[in-house]
Amino acid sequence: MSSVAVLTPESFAEHLSGVPEDEAYIPTYLEAFPPLPENKGAPGDKSGEPAGAWGSKIRPIKASVITQVFNVPLEERRYKDNSQFGDGGEEAKVCLDIMQRTGAHIELSLAKDQGLSIMVTGKLDSVMKARKEIVSRLQTQASATVAIPKEHHRFVIGKNGEKLQELELKTATKIAIPRPDDPSLNIRITGTKEGIEKARHEILLISAEQDKRAVERLSLEKVFHPFIAGAYNRLVQELCQETGARVSIPPPSLHKDEIVITGEKEAVALAISRIRAIYDEKKRKTTTISVEVKKSQHKYIVGPKGNSLHEIMETTGVSVEMPPLDSCSETIILRGEPDKLGPALTQVYAKVHIEFTDGEERISLEGPTEEVEQAQVQIQDIIRDLLVRMDYTDVNIDQRFHRHLIGKNGANINRIKEQYKVSVWIPQEPDRSGLVRIEGDPKGVQLARRELMEMAQRMENERTKDLIVEQKFHRAIIGQKGEKIKEVRDKFPEVMINFPDPAQKSDIVQLRGPKNEVEKCAKFLAKLIADLMENSFSLSIPIFKQFHKNIIGKGGANIKKVRDEMCEEVTVRGPAGEVERAKRQLLQLAEEKAECGRIGFTFLVNNFTAELQAKPEYHKFLIGKGGVNIRGVRDRTGARIIFPSPDEPEQELITIIGREEAVRLAQKELETLVKNLDDVVEDSMVVETRHHRYFVCRRGQVLRELAEEYGGVAVSFPRTGTHSDRITLKGAKDCVEAAKRRIQEIIEDLEAQVSVEVAVPQRYHRAVMGPKGVRIQQITRDYEVQVKFPERDDNNTAGQPRQSGNEWNPEAEFVLRKCDVITISGRTEKCELAKIALLALVPVTEDVEVSFELHRYIIGQKGSGIRKMMEEYEVNIWVPQPEQQSDVIKVTGQVANVERAKSGLLERVKELQAEQEDRALRSFKVSISVDPKFHPKIIGRKGAVISQIRKDHDVNVQFPDKGDELQDVIVISGYERNTEEARSAIELLVSTLQEMVSHDVHLDPRTHARIIGARGKAVRKTMEEFKVDIRFPQPGSEDPGRVTVTGLPESVDNAVDHLLNLEEEYVSDGRETIISIWSKPKGFVVRDAPWNDKAPDMSNAEDFPTFGAGLAPKQTSAWGPKKF
C-alpha cells in the first residue's frame, strides 16, 4: 500500500523557511513521481477459463450420412465484415446456433474472393434443415411470386402442411401462401435465386396436376432446354404469350428432362408443336466442343446470377453447360451451331480472371492482353499503398495456447484488434501451426505482438490436472444453484474448475491454474469426495409412485427432492444409522396419511383394488369434458380411479383404489356408464348435396349445436368431391332418432327458402355491415336468414355520390346497378322481417340549417370538432365548401343516429351563438393616456404589476409598441364594467407614481457588491422594506459611485440614510481586516522531466528510416496467408 502526502501552502512555506531559496533542493521527476509497482498478471486476465472459441459449443462429428457443400458469393453475403474472429463474428455465431438447433456439423471457410464455402455434414433431415437456415440467415434473400388458382393452394400445403414443409426443405426457401379469406392468387417465395427457381417449378407442377385443363409432359434432353427457354427466358415467355399455354421448364439446378405444358387443348397442342420444332432443329444442327477450365474460374464464366451465360446465349445462340458445383469435373461443354462455337468460346475466355495462388507469393491474371495489363497496374498500386501504410510480423506461439489467446467468444483477440487497430490471423487446429500473424499499423503491430507474447508466457506457467470423480457426485459438489462450488472457487481464486456436460456422462473434472494452487485445490476436492462417498449409503423403500406426492408434502415440506418420479421406490442416501431412521419415519408418515383418509389407502393392512375393462375409445367419455364425469364419481364414492397412460401395454385396464365399499360403488357406476356406451348405434340418412354446405359452414356450427342438443350425437358428412348424399349419425339410439328428425326439419326449412333482393346503393354497404360485419351477423341470427352482398364494383363510378372539391356530396342521382343488390335467403316471412331490419340500417341524409359564420367553429382545428361529432354519433357530417357560402349542413347515417346528431349539432350551434355574444361583450375597449416613463412601473418587474391588474379585473391591457405614433396610449379591452375598474386602478397607480421623487447618492463602489448581496438578495430586501427602487450604475459608467433611489419623498430619505449607514459600516470593516497576500508562487519544479527532452528530429533518417526501403519484403502479399 502506498501513502499520499498533501502539500499545503503552510507546509510548503515551512519547508522553504529552513532552506535558503537559492539552495532549495529540486527533486528529479522520478523522485517526485515514482512509478507504480508492476503487476505480474494483467487485470481481469481469465486465461484459466475454458475458452474454447472454436470447439466449446461445436458438437463432435458423428457418423456422416451425407455431406453437402455450397458457396455463398461475396455479393450475396449478409455479413461482409471479416474483422471479427472466432465466435465473435456474426457468421460463426449463426452457425453455432444452427448446429445446436439441427444437430448438423457446419464448417465455414473463406475463399480468396471473400465468398463463403460451407460444408454441412450429418443426417439427411438435419442437413436439409441446417442448409435451409444457413441460406436464410447468411445469404441475402430475394423474393418472387407465382400465381396459381386459389383452389390449388391446399395441394401445395398438403396434409397437415407436410407437403409445404418438404418443399421448403428441399428448395431451402420460405413459401408464404395467402390465407383462405385472402382473395390473392399469388404465392410468395423468399430465398436464393436458385432456390426460388426450384420452388417455382415445383409449385407450377403441383398446380398443373390439379388443373382440369389439358396437361402434357414432354421428355426432352435437358441439354436442349436452354434453346427452348432462350436467353433470359425470353423465348419461352413469347411462346406462352402467343399460344396462351403455360410452359414449365425445370431450372438448370434441377436435373429433370420433363417439360410440363398446361392450358386449353388447342393452346397446349400448338405449344408442343413449337417446342418440338425447336428441339428437332437444334438436335439436328448443333454440335459440341469441350474445354477444360479450372474449377475456381467457373464462377467467373457463369457471372452474377448467370448473366454471363445468358449474354453468350443472346449474342451467339450457343449454350454453355457447366458442371455442378459439388462435382470435381472441370469440363465445360459448348453446344451450338458449328459456325457460332468459335465466337462463343472467345467470349468464355474474354474476361480477366484473377487467382491468388496457395503457398506462392504471386497473383495469376488471365484474359485479353490489354485488360490484363490494366488490371496489373491497379493491383500494383494497391500493393504499393499497402506496403507504405501497413506492417506485419509473425509470432510463434504454442498451438495449445491459441484458444486461450482467442478467449471466450473471441473476447481477447477482438479486444486486441480494436485496441491496436490490427488484424490477427491465428491458424486453425487442422493446420498444426503455431505461427500467429499480426498486420496493421506499425506501432499497433508491435504493441499487439508484445501483449500476445506476455499472454503466452503467463500461460506456460500454468498446469492442468484431471480428477476422476463419479458423475453422481458432481451435483453434490456443485451444490444448489452452485453455492458449494462457489465456496471452493473463492478459496482457490486462481484455479479454474471445469465440470463436464451432464450429457457427456464423463467422470473427468479439470483443474487449471498455477501449479501450487492446482495441487492444493486437488487435495481439498479429494477430501470432499471421500466425505461424500462415506455418507452415500443407500437403501430402497418400496412405495407406489401415485403416493409419492403425499409423502413429499405440500411445497416439499416432508422431503426436498424425489430423485426419480417415475420409479416404484424412494431412495434415501446417507450414513447407515440415519437411513434406517429415515425409513421408519417415512413408513410412519405413510400410515398416518392413510388413517386420516388423505390418500384413502393403508399401505400394509386396509388396501383394496379393483380392475375394470373398457375400450380405450370410451375413456374420454368416462372422463368427460374437463374431467367432469370422473370427478363426480370420485366425489360420490371417495374411491381413486386411475386410467392407463399412453405408454402402458394394458390400454383397456382401469384401476380403482380405496376402501372396499367405495371401490365397489365406483365400479358399479363405471360399469353402468360403459354399458350405456355399448348401446351406441350408427344410422344414416339421405341429404341432398346442395344442402351439405349449410351444415358444415361456419366451422360446423350447426353440427356442434346438434351434438350439444342431442346428447353428443356425431354427424358425419361425406368428403368434398365424393358426390355422395348419404350422411352418418352415431350415438345413443334415442339421440340419433331425435337428431334425424331435427335434420329433416332443417332440410324442410331450406327447401322452403326464398330469395329476396334489396336495392341498397353500394356506398352504404359498409355502413349496413357495421364494424367487422356485426350488424349483418345480428340480422342473420335474429331472423335465421342468409344475407349475401354483391361483388364490389371499383371501376364503375355510376351511382356513386358526386364530388365537390375534396368532399363527397351525399346527395347524388342513384342508378340501380348489379353491385347495389343485396340478396336475403330464408323463409318468406323471415326474409320480409330481415329486409325491414336491413333497410333500417341504410343511412339517410337530413339537412340542418347552421349559419355559415359558425361552420369553421363546428369543424374545429384541423377538423377535430367535426371528427369528434361523427365518431360520437356514428354519422357522416358534410359541411359545404367556403366558396359556396351555404348554410346547409348534411348529416348522413342511420335514422336514430341522425336524429341524435342533429340534436347535438343544434346544441353546439347554441353554444357557439352564446360564445359569439360573449365575445361581443368582451370586445369593449377604452383608452387611457399615460406618460411613457411610467409604463415600466405599471408593467412591474417581470410583468408582475400588470399581470395582477389583468387577473383582478379580467381584462386585456395593451401597451404601445416602440414604433407606434401614440406612445402614451394604453388600450384596455374586456367587459365594459371591468375595463372601467381597470382604468381606475391604472390611474390610481399613475397618480402614486407622479408623487414619487428620485434622489442620487454617492456610495463607495467597493461597497456596492455587499449592498447588493448574493444574487441581489440584500438590495431587494432593502427595496421591499422602504418601498423604493434602487438603481446602481452600469459597469464602465462615468460616475461609478452614483446610486439612484426612487420613491415617495419620505421613503427615499429613509432609504438614503440606510444606504449611507451601510457604506460607513462596510468601509470600517474593510480597514480593520488584515489581508494576507502571498507572494506569487514559483510553482513546483522538478528535474529530468520527460517534457524537458529535446523533440525528435523527424528528418533524421536514423531515427525515422523509410519504411521498407532497402529491405526485401518477406512476402509480396501484404496480407499474408488466408484467414481460413
Side-chain angles (χ1 to χ4, degrees):
M1 178 180 288
S2 61
S3 61
V4 179
V6 181
L7 185 64
T8 63
E10 293 79 2
S11 61
F12 185 60
E14 182 181 352
H15 168 71
L16 292 180
S17 63
V19 182
E21 185 176 350
D22 55 348
E23 297 180 5
Y25 175 72
I26 300 177
T28 65
Y29 178 80
L30 292 177
E31 290 174 342
F33 304 101
L36 295 173
E38 293 186 2
N39 189 0
K40 298 296 182 182
D45 182 23
K46 298 182 179 179
S47 58
E49 275 187 27
W54 296 103
S56 60
K57 294 183 180 178
I58 301 179
R59 298 186 179 185
I61 300 178
K62 299 180 181 180
S64 175
V65 177
I66 64 166
T67 299
Q68 283 196 3
V69 180
F70 57 96
N71 298 308
V72 179
L74 174 62
E75 59 272 13
E76 295 184 12
R77 283 179 58 186
R78 177 162 292 179
Y79 306 104
K80 299 181 182 179
D81 182 13
N82 295 326
S83 63
Q84 296 293 317
F85 191 88
D87 286 353
E90 291 296 332
E91 289 167 336
K93 291 179 181 177
V94 170
C95 288
L96 283 173
D97 181 50
I98 294 173
M99 284 192 287
Q100 291 176 352
R101 291 161 59 120
T102 63
H105 181 74
I106 303 171
E107 292 186 11
L108 284 178
S109 60
L110 193 65
K112 302 182 190 71
D113 61 353
Q114 301 300 304
L116 277 182
S117 179
I118 304 170
M119 182 173 73
V120 187
T121 305
K123 294 182 179 179
L124 177 61
D125 57 342
S126 299
V127 170
M128 298 302 288
K129 291 178 181 177
R131 184 173 182 272
K132 179 187 174 184
E133 289 208 30
I134 290 172
V135 167
S136 64
R137 296 173 66 178
L138 293 185
Q139 194 167 358
T140 55
Q141 303 291 290
S143 63
T145 57
V146 55
I148 64 173
K150 187 74 175 179
E151 57 270 17
H152 295 174
H153 287 189
R154 62 191 182 93
F155 297 102
V156 177
I157 298 172
K159 186 178 180 181
N160 296 328
E162 294 175 356
K163 183 68 176 179
L164 180 61
Q165 293 174 5
E166 179 187 352
L167 190 57
E168 287 181 336
L169 286 176
K170 183 178 178 182
T171 60
T173 57
K174 178 66 178 176
I175 302 173
I177 298 178
R179 296 175 61 85
D181 53 357
D182 188 346
S184 174
L185 305 179
N186 292 328
I187 296 177
R188 178 168 292 278
I189 310 169
T190 305
T192 61
K193 183 175 180 293
E194 178 184 341
I196 290 173
E197 289 179 353
K198 290 182 180 179
R200 185 177 183 277
H201 179 73
E202 293 293 337
I203 290 172
L204 290 176
L205 286 183
I206 293 172
S207 177
E209 291 175 359
Q210 305 301 327
D211 205 324
K212 296 180 180 178
R213 298 177 295 174
V215 179
E216 291 291 340
R217 302 175 187 271
L218 289 180
S219 184
L220 306 178
E221 295 177 56
K222 188 169 182 64
V223 294
F224 294 102
H225 288 189
F227 298 106
I228 298 171
Y232 302 103
N233 293 323
R234 291 174 186 163
L235 189 58
V236 72
Q237 291 173 4
E238 293 174 0
L239 180 63
C240 293
Q241 291 176 358
E242 293 175 4
T243 63
R246 188 167 65 188
V247 181
S248 298
I249 300 177
S253 55
L254 195 63
H255 301 290
K256 283 187 177 181
D257 293 338
E258 193 176 73
I259 298 176
V260 181
I261 306 102
T262 59
E264 301 295 336
K265 289 185 178 181
E266 297 79 4
V268 170
L270 180 59
I272 291 175
S273 63
R274 294 277 297 275
I275 292 172
R276 284 198 176 278
I278 296 172
Y279 171 74
D280 293 339
E281 179 186 3
K282 293 300 178 182
K283 190 172 183 180
R284 185 177 66 255
K285 292 183 178 182
T286 58
T287 185
T288 62
I289 60 171
S290 301
V291 292
E292 297 291 327
V293 179
K294 290 183 179 180
K295 191 73 175 179
S296 59
Q297 304 296 320
H298 287 192
K299 56 188 171 187
Y300 302 111
I301 298 173
V302 175
K305 299 182 179 180
N307 287 339
S308 297
L309 299 181
H310 288 294
E311 184 182 340
I312 294 172
M313 170 66 79
E314 185 177 29
T315 55
T316 65
V318 174
S319 168
V320 181
E321 301 169 14
M322 307 294 297
L325 290 176
D326 53 357
S327 171
C328 298
S329 173
E330 296 183 344
T331 303
I332 297 177
I333 300 174
L334 281 70
R335 187 182 303 274
E337 298 179 9
D339 57 335
K340 301 290 180 64
L341 291 176
L345 186 60
T346 303
Q347 286 197 27
V348 168
Y349 286 107
K351 300 185 181 295
V352 176
H353 306 317
I354 303 174
E355 181 179 2
F356 294 83
T357 55
D358 288 330
E360 300 181 22
E361 298 180 353
R362 65 187 181 88
I363 302 173
S364 175
L365 286 78
E366 297 179 5
T369 305
E370 295 181 0
E371 296 184 10
V372 167
E373 291 176 353
Q374 187 177 1
Q376 183 181 7
V377 171
Q378 294 179 3
I379 292 175
Q380 288 175 345
D381 291 340
I382 295 172
I383 293 173
R384 282 194 293 270
D385 178 62
L386 292 174
L387 290 174
V388 171
R389 292 187 296 104
M390 308 294 288
D391 190 11
Y392 68 90
T393 185
D394 293 330
V395 184
N396 199 349
I397 298 176
D398 196 322
Q399 192 181 20
R400 70 178 187 272
F401 300 142
H402 285 186
R403 63 192 184 102
H404 305 302
L405 293 179
I406 295 170
K408 188 175 183 180
N409 295 329
N412 294 341
I413 204 69
N414 288 330
R415 177 185 58 79
I416 292 174
K417 287 180 180 180
E418 293 175 4
Q419 182 175 351
Y420 302 116
K421 308 300 180 186
V422 296
S423 296
V424 183
W425 309 105
I426 297 179
Q428 295 194 25
E429 291 183 8
D431 295 342
R432 301 292 181 186
S433 172
L435 200 63
V436 177
R437 166 158 291 201
I438 311 170
E439 301 174 356
D441 179 72
K443 185 177 179 181
V445 168
Q446 296 303 320
L447 293 174
R449 180 181 183 277
R450 185 172 64 184
E451 183 166 345
L452 288 176
M453 293 297 293
E454 290 175 355
M455 293 172 65
Q457 189 174 2
R458 282 199 308 271
M459 286 184 284
E460 284 181 355
N461 297 328
E462 292 184 347
R463 181 188 173 187
T464 301
K465 184 172 184 177
D466 293 338
L467 292 181
I468 305 300
V469 182
E470 291 185 50
Q471 193 181 30
K472 65 181 180 180
F473 296 130
H474 289 185
R475 184 179 295 180
I477 296 172
I478 295 171
Q480 189 175 10
K481 296 182 180 180
E483 293 176 355
K484 293 185 178 179
I485 197 63
K486 184 177 182 300
E487 294 176 2
V488 178
R489 285 173 173 157
D490 291 342
K491 190 170 184 178
F492 304 97
E494 298 183 19
V495 179
M496 296 302 302
I497 306 172
N498 299 324
F499 286 86
D501 192 298
Q504 296 178 358
K505 305 293 185 183
S506 174
D507 295 337
I508 298 176
V509 178
Q510 189 181 75
L511 309 180
R512 184 160 60 86
K515 181 177 179 181
N516 295 335
E517 292 296 315
V518 167
E519 292 297 333
K520 292 179 183 178
C521 184
K523 291 179 181 178
F524 180 83
L525 288 177
K527 184 177 181 302
L528 182 64
I529 295 165
D531 293 341
L532 288 174
M533 294 179 68
E534 183 180 351
N535 296 327
S536 63
F537 178 79
S538 63
L539 182 66
S540 297
I541 307 167
I543 298 176
F544 284 109
K545 64 182 178 182
Q546 57 263 35
F547 305 119
H548 287 185
K549 63 180 181 180
N550 304 102
I551 297 174
I552 292 170
K554 186 177 180 181
N558 302 331
I559 296 179
K560 291 294 184 182
K561 202 174 232 183
V562 175
R563 293 297 183 185
D564 190 357
E565 294 183 358
M566 295 306 293
C567 67
E568 291 290 337
E569 59 185 21
V570 176
T571 303
V572 183
R573 291 191 178 93
E578 296 297 325
V579 168
E580 290 294 340
R581 179 181 169 190
K583 175 182 176 182
R584 290 194 298 271
Q585 290 183 356
L586 284 175
L587 292 174
Q588 181 181 356
L589 177 63
E591 292 177 2
E592 291 174 357
K593 293 292 183 182
E595 291 172 2
C596 295
R598 294 180 61 182
I599 60 175
F601 182 88
T602 302
F603 279 87
L604 303 174
V605 183
N606 296 326
N607 58 330
F608 187 81
T609 303
E611 294 178 349
L612 177 69
Q613 296 286 338
K615 295 179 180 178
E617 54 266 25
Y618 290 172
H619 290 186
K620 61 180 180 179
F621 298 105
L622 295 175
I623 296 170
K625 188 175 182 181
V628 63
N629 295 342
I630 204 66
R631 194 161 49 245
V633 175
R634 287 173 179 170
D635 293 342
R636 288 191 296 272
T637 63
R640 185 177 182 86
I641 303 167
I642 302 173
F643 285 84
S645 59
D647 55 350
E648 291 186 12
E650 291 291 339
Q651 288 294 304
E652 295 187 357
L653 191 64
I654 300 174
T655 305
I656 310 170
I657 302 172
R659 296 189 306 274
E660 183 176 0
E661 59 274 14
V663 169
R664 296 297 184 192
L665 186 58
Q667 184 179 13
K668 185 177 180 181
E669 286 198 26
L670 289 177
E671 287 175 349
T672 303
L673 291 174
V674 171
K675 184 178 180 181
N676 292 338
L677 291 172
D678 288 335
D679 292 338
V680 171
V681 299
E682 184 174 325
D683 201 354
S684 63
M685 63 181 297
V686 176
V687 177
E688 293 186 29
T689 53
R690 60 194 176 97
H691 298 315
H692 288 190
R693 187 175 180 278
Y694 174 81
F695 290 93
V696 299
C697 66
R698 292 178 295 168
R699 298 184 179 181
Q701 176 66 26
V702 176
L703 297 181
R704 286 200 298 273
E705 292 175 357
L706 286 172
E708 292 174 1
E709 186 176 356
Y710 299 103
V713 64
V715 184
S716 302
F717 279 78
R719 300 178 66 86
T720 305
T722 57
H723 305 292
S724 173
D725 58 358
R726 184 167 294 279
I727 67 171
T728 303
L729 297 88
K730 189 174 182 180
K733 186 174 182 180
D734 296 341
C735 296
V736 169
E737 292 298 329
K740 287 174 66 176
R741 288 194 295 271
R742 176 58 185 151
I743 292 173
Q744 195 60 42
E745 291 175 1
I746 294 174
I747 293 172
E748 291 175 0
D749 288 343
L750 294 174
E751 295 287 351
Q753 283 187 352
V754 297
S755 295
V756 176
E757 294 183 347
V758 183
V760 177
Q762 181 178 294
R763 63 179 180 272
Y764 297 138
H765 286 187
R766 181 173 296 178
V768 171
M769 290 181 184
K772 298 183 180 180
V774 64
R775 294 173 184 161
I776 210 66
Q777 291 172 9
Q778 187 64 37
I779 290 177
T780 57
R781 285 195 298 268
D782 292 345
Y783 302 103
E784 298 180 357
V785 295
Q786 297 293 324
V787 181
K788 182 180 180 182
F789 283 80
E791 293 290 336
R792 186 174 180 82
D793 186 2
D794 292 326
N795 298 324
N796 187 5
T797 58
Q800 295 292 333
R802 291 191 298 263
Q803 280 185 304
S804 176
N806 292 329
E807 296 288 339
W808 285 99
N809 187 343
E811 288 189 352
E813 296 178 2
F814 177 67
V815 178
L816 183 63
R817 300 170 299 157
K818 185 178 180 181
C819 62
D820 297 326
V821 178
I822 301 173
T823 305
I824 305 175
S825 301
R827 287 184 174 272
T828 306
E829 62 279 5
K830 292 186 177 181
C831 285
E832 293 299 328
L833 295 173
K835 179 179 179 181
I836 295 171
L838 187 64
L839 291 174
L841 296 176
V842 177
V844 297
T845 302
E846 293 200 17
D847 297 341
V848 182
E849 291 286 341
V850 178
S851 176
F852 172 72
E853 289 78 10
L854 300 178
H855 286 189
R856 63 193 182 99
Y857 301 110
I858 292 174
I859 294 172
Q861 188 176 12
K862 296 183 180 179
S864 60
I866 200 74
R867 279 199 303 272
K868 182 179 178 182
M869 293 184 68
M870 288 194 290
E871 291 172 0
E872 182 179 355
Y873 300 113
E874 298 182 3
V875 295
N876 182 38
I877 301 176
W878 181 79
V879 181
Q881 294 291 330
E883 57 270 13
Q884 296 180 7
Q885 300 286 320
S886 173
D887 294 338
V888 178
I889 294 179
K890 298 183 181 296
V891 183
T892 303
Q894 295 181 29
V895 178
N897 294 345
V898 169
E899 291 300 326
R900 289 172 49 241
K902 283 177 63 179
S903 301
L905 191 58
L906 293 175
E907 288 293 331
R908 179 61 178 155
V909 169
K910 290 180 182 178
E911 292 176 4
L912 292 174
Q913 290 173 346
E915 290 176 4
Q916 277 187 331
E917 295 174 1
D918 185 67
R919 278 196 296 272
L921 294 174
R922 291 178 63 89
S923 61
F924 182 81
K925 293 183 180 181
V926 64
S927 300
I928 181 173
S929 179
V930 179
D931 193 330
K933 69 178 181 180
F934 297 126
H935 289 188
K937 300 294 183 183
I938 297 172
I939 294 172
R941 190 169 182 269
K942 295 184 179 180
V945 177
I946 197 65
S947 297
Q948 190 63 37
I949 293 174
R950 288 170 176 160
K951 181 179 178 182
D952 292 344
H953 302 287
D954 190 20
V955 295
N956 182 33
V957 183
Q958 185 70 35
F959 287 85
D961 294 332
K962 289 185 178 181
D964 291 350
E965 295 181 1
L966 302 176
Q967 287 293 311
D968 59 342
V969 176
I970 298 175
V971 179
I972 307 171
S973 59
Y975 293 114
E976 182 177 0
R977 179 180 175 183
N978 294 352
T979 55
E980 292 297 337
E981 292 176 353
R983 177 179 181 178
S984 300
I986 292 175
E987 289 175 346
L988 180 61
L989 182 59
V990 170
S991 64
T992 305
L993 292 173
Q994 288 174 345
E995 296 176 2
M996 290 184 178
V997 296
S998 294
H999 181 74
D1000 293 339
V1001 59
H1002 287 270
L1003 303 176
D1004 192 332
R1006 293 175 297 173
T1007 64
H1008 287 189
R1010 295 190 66 181
I1011 293 172
I1012 294 171
R1015 298 184 181 179
K1017 185 176 181 180
V1019 75
R1020 279 200 302 274
K1021 183 177 180 182
T1022 302
M1023 289 191 291
E1024 292 173 0
E1025 181 180 353
F1026 295 98
K1027 307 297 182 185
V1028 295
D1029 180 62
I1030 303 174
R1031 298 290 176 180
F1032 286 84
Q1034 295 292 331
S1037 175
E1038 295 180 359
D1039 189 358
R1042 187 179 67 181
V1043 177
T1044 302
V1045 184
T1046 305
L1048 296 175
E1050 184 179 356
S1051 300
V1052 169
D1053 292 340
N1054 295 334
V1056 169
D1057 292 341
H1058 178 71
L1059 292 175
L1060 291 173
N1061 292 336
L1062 289 177
E1063 178 195 26
E1064 183 179 355
E1065 179 184 348
Y1066 295 153
V1067 170
S1068 175
D1069 290 345
R1071 293 197 185 106
E1072 296 175 358
T1073 303
I1074 299 175
I1075 304 174
S1076 176
I1077 303 174
W1078 281 27
S1079 60
K1080 184 178 179 181
K1082 295 182 179 180
F1084 188 69
V1085 182
V1086 296
R1087 295 179 291 115
D1088 302 331
W1091 51 80
N1092 292 334
D1093 294 342
K1094 182 181 177 182
D1097 184 6
M1098 298 182 65
S1099 63
N1100 189 337
E1102 184 177 352
D1103 292 341
F1104 293 90
T1106 303
F1107 183 74
L1111 297 174
K1114 296 181 181 179
Q1115 293 188 2
T1116 57
S1117 171
W1119 295 105
K1122 62 181 181 178
K1123 181 175 179 181
F1124 292 96

